[in-house]
Amino acid sequence: MQPKARPMMITFPERLKPARTDPVSLPQEPDLAELARMILILRRQRADYFGTALFSDPSWDILLDLRAHHGGNRTVASLFVADCAPITTGLRHLRHLHARGLVDRWRDPQDGRRRLAGLSEDGLALMDGFLLKAAALCTNQVQ
């Protein structure tokens, strides 16, 4: 019988921990856009250790990028600037996310040549749920 793996404890940055005004109040939600940005940074820094060929997850990178910039207009082209995958791969993943109802796409009303993208309501709810769970795990609030 193999011993159970113990969960890895991660120290969560102070700036993302829920703020408390007094010991009785409920904690506020962490900054989920900032957490998504931090995960993106870590994913890109991972290449410094393992190289770029070993890991590739364009769909997840797109979802993280859109959550990190939620509320702003993201051009489709800007989603693939820092990704190591080819643009055609990124577009294929974006179409798949759109077909699954996680991402909305539309023409830029200011410039009809550009396409914009953002998380759908369902996509935002799923990303926020995941990021809240990640924040809770990192602050040892979930067992």
Side-chain angles (χ1 to χ4, degrees):
M1 184 163 100
Q2 293 184 346
K4 284 187 175 180
R6 293 178 27 187
M8 184 171 67
M9 303 308 274
I10 300 171
T11 304
F12 206 61
E14 282 296 320
R15 64 189 169 135
L16 292 179
K17 284 187 179 176
R20 296 178 189 235
T21 55
D22 62 71
V24 183
S25 70
L26 295 174
Q28 297 175 359
E29 290 184 4
D31 183 346
L32 298 181
E34 179 67 15
L35 180 54
R37 279 188 285 279
M38 288 178 60
I39 294 170
L40 275 171
I41 289 167
L42 284 173
R43 290 176 60 77
R44 292 183 179 124
Q45 288 179 348
R46 178 179 61 190
D48 294 342
Y49 294 90
F50 298 100
T52 57
L54 188 58
F55 300 106
S56 178
D57 196 357
S59 291
W60 185 236
D61 289 336
I62 290 168
L63 291 172
L64 284 169
D65 190 295
L66 291 174
R67 181 56 188 98
H69 297 94
H70 181 69
N73 290 332
R74 295 294 286 163
T75 63
V76 168
S78 70
L79 292 172
F80 313 124
V81 169
D83 197 10
C84 295
I87 291 175
T88 54
T89 300
L91 287 171
R92 185 175 64 251
H93 283 264
L94 185 62
R95 281 193 301 271
H96 181 71
L97 292 169
H98 179 72
R100 297 276 315 260
L102 298 174
V103 171
D104 292 327
R105 296 172 62 189
W106 63 95
R107 286 201 185 280
D108 184 344
Q110 309 295 317
D111 183 350
R113 298 169 294 175
R114 294 190 322 166
R115 302 281 288 173
L116 302 175
L119 290 173
S120 66
E121 287 184 26
D122 288 343
L124 180 63
L126 288 170
M127 287 301 294
D128 283 356
F130 174 84
L131 292 169
L132 283 170
K133 177 69 88 166
L137 286 169
C138 291
T139 57
N140 301 318
Q141 294 177 5
V142 174
Q143 305 215 1

